[in-house]
Amino acid sequence: KESMKSATFWLDEDEQLQSYDKEKSAKYLELCSEETLAKTVAALEEKKYIVRVAENKDEALAFLKETIPEQSSIYAAGSTTLSQIGWNEYAKSTDVYDDVKTRMFAEEDPEKREELRKSSIGADFWISSVSAITEEGEYTVSDLTG
């Protein structure tokens, strides 16, 4: 949080969002206050979510590595956040996990690729991110495919 004054840091690095209107989006680009963050964390914890607030992308990546047991099967959804914290490259470059998505995209046989796609839903850990979290602990998920 200290190293980033606003969310423009993330948006500027996302190729899909290069055309966003910074002026119209300005009110949505500021990080929330410590008070709002504390209220949101409390609401999530009240709903029995385990919450960890990362101070930076290195801490977020370390959290994932610590949380997911070695040799687990994983599938990471398309996520700007996962890409920006370095998870996608890490998952592709390590043998610590069985990365179903990487195997699926590397498979040249269409029938085998389809089987891998179908099996991906049963990965030990399916990793994604959310688009927004409210102070009441509710979240919104949307992606490029709707």
Side-chain angles (χ1 to χ4, degrees), residues 18-110:
Q18 291 304 305
S19 64
Y20 79 97
D21 185 329
K22 290 182 182 181
E23 193 172 308
K24 287 182 180 178
S25 304
K27 70 179 181 178
Y28 302 107
L29 299 178
E30 294 302 314
L31 296 177
C32 68
S33 68
E34 290 295 323
E35 179 183 340
T36 298
L37 180 60
K39 183 176 179 181
T40 304
V41 167
L44 288 165
E45 290 175 339
E46 187 175 311
K47 293 179 180 201
K48 307 298 182 213
Y49 286 98
I50 298 170
V51 180
R52 178 154 171 202
V53 178
E55 295 293 328
N56 55 52
K57 62 185 180 180
D58 293 334
E59 192 174 304
L61 179 60
F63 173 73
L64 282 175
K65 291 177 182 179
E66 294 164 10
T67 302
I68 301 172
E70 291 186 10
Q71 304 311 310
S72 297
S73 61
I74 60 169
Y75 186 95
S79 164
T80 299
T81 302
L82 291 175
S83 178
Q84 290 175 334
I85 67 170
W87 174 260
N88 294 340
E89 286 306 313
Y90 171 74
K92 288 180 200 176
S93 66
T94 185
D95 61 359
V96 172
Y97 307 108
D98 172 18
D99 185 355
V100 179
K101 185 175 188 176
T102 297
R103 286 193 298 122
M104 180 179 74
F105 282 112
E107 180 58 59
E108 293 182 16
D109 181 299

